[in-house]
Amino acid sequence: MSELGRMAQPLLDHPVVPTPPVADLRRRGQRRRQRHLLGGSTAVLVLAAVVMIATLAPSSPKPVGSSGTSSSLTAYIQKGVSVSDSTLEAIGLPSNVLAPNSVADGASLTQDGKPVVVFVGGEFCPYCAMERWALVVALSRFGTFSHLGQTISSSSTDVFPGLQSWSFKDSAFTSSSLAFTPAEVYSSTPNSTGTGYEPLQSLTPLQSQAFNAYSDRGYPFVDIGGKYVALGASANPGVLQNLTLDQIASQLDNPSSPVAQAVNGSANYLIAAMCSVTSTSAAPICTSPVIAQAQSAMTANPYTAGAHSQLPS
Amino acid sequence: MVARGTDEAGQLVELGKEPESFDSWYAREHPRLIATLLLSTGDVELAADGVDEAFTRALEKWDQVSMMESPTGWAFRVALNHARRTARRRTIERRLFIKRAKDIPVPAPAGEVWQVVSSLPPRQREVVVLRHIGDLREAEIAEVLGISRSTVSSTLSDAHERLGSLLDDEPPNGERHHV
């Protein structure tokens, strides 16, 4: 083995991309065959439609399932990113969902020239399990996730023990209008002293800047462009208890489901904040009346140190 | 289940060879392909997508691929070609729609090696990475890249001049890890 090979050994021992299950490869093959079946004139029509859509709305998110990168998303995440705008509008702003706080004098937070959404959480944290779903539904209006779906379980000894979730660690998000920088600060593995959990990721300077601006911060923490902040979960994670990820995902497009109301209701506020820091053309739903209502509610809910709302039961 | 003749891509299949199961080959070779593609392209998304595509196609015709002289070499070729096509498509899309180029850094564990190989011109980088991280023989590299074996040798020699002892092979540990 050469010195170069030895230097690369950690990449083989700890791959940067996990090996997807064989079932994912089968699904990918099925999707490709289905695309090939369209063939001929249909393909030409689809291509023309795609070009038109891309030309008219260059910042719209890519349709899920049509790009190669989406293959790295698990089926339940695919359902999360595919929640329809009509479902979001039907759910609106449930009374048991908290609105994020507006930060009137907050300095704009940007990354690569785009407004940035900062998430700080921990894999052990049951409240983060709820907020991750809302973030995936919301951010998918503005861009495309990849490499998302590494399954985790929140702490077995915390409130709402053992909630099924996934980690944002190693995920990527691509958008022309918005950046997303998540950090999973702790794993769900208790540390050797039994006083907490094994550390996982350190905060970047930008994440630290956002996180440390609030004295009453905790996990989950979501900052949207420096103008809105969600301190803690926006909805009660108890609705996720005893549900598998597939069971959660399969309820997301059903407006009468408590899971959908909690996740999508929270997502509606997050979307409204994201629309505010980007533009109304950043995502089609930005022009929806529900989003305007959410923006008004957040404006009427300014951040005051130590006075943020308690999570409704 | 013994395949005979050639596959659709004209690859020779080996008669009478006992095929390995797809699952074990996939589990063993996936990390190597990911590392090699990542260090060839410098783009984790391109690498993951190319590798997924290669293994998907391998799964679909495993009875043929498993009988090839080098299933892993074949997978490298499919993955690299797919990654190149995707990269070209992205470039065209950016030109047409004035999209911002994605700037996803090479993940941390690959940083040091990437610093070394990214100093090489693209062709040298591909050859070096396929040889020293992909663990392919010169003949296999020639097939993967569609170039002659002498070109592979001279490219490795040129890269050696740039990187020096980093590329010196040590025979005792230089055994191949794949079929």
Side-chain angles (χ1 to χ4, degrees), chain A residues 79-127:
Chain A
K79 285 183 183 167
V81 304
S82 304
V83 169
S84 65
D85 285 359
S86 60
T87 299
L88 290 168
E89 287 171 331
I91 285 174
L93 307 172
S95 59
N96 61 349
V97 171
L98 291 178
N101 299 109
S102 56
V103 187
D105 55 350
S108 295
L109 209 56
T110 61
Q111 182 174 288
D112 300 331
K114 292 178 278 192
V116 63
V117 177
V118 176
F119 167 82
V120 181
E123 294 183 350
F124 71 92
C125 150
Y127 296 99

Side-chain angles (χ1 to χ4, degrees), chain A residues 17 62 67-69 72 144-147 172-174, chain B residues 38 41-51 86 90 102 104:
Chain A
V17 177
K62 287 183 201 169
S67 85
T69 55
S72 58
T144 309
F145 276 103
S146 57
H147 309 300
F173 177 73
T174 308
Chain B
L38 171 61
T41 62
D43 185 318
V44 69
E45 255 187 42
L46 269 186
D49 190 41
V51 171
T86 306
R90 277 190 196 167
K102 279 189 284 186
I104 301 173

Side-chain angles (χ1 to χ4, degrees), chain A residues 139-157:
Chain A
L139 283 162
S140 301
R141 313 293 119 179
F142 299 83
T144 309
F145 276 103
S146 57
H147 309 300
L148 194 55
Q150 186 185 331
T151 308
I152 56 171
S153 176
S154 70
S155 164
S156 58
T157 56

Side-chain angles (χ1 to χ4, degrees), chain B residues 103-121:
Chain B
D103 185 19
I104 301 173
V106 172
E112 192 185 3
V113 196
W114 175 245
Q115 273 198 333
V116 173
V117 297
S118 63
S119 68
L120 297 171

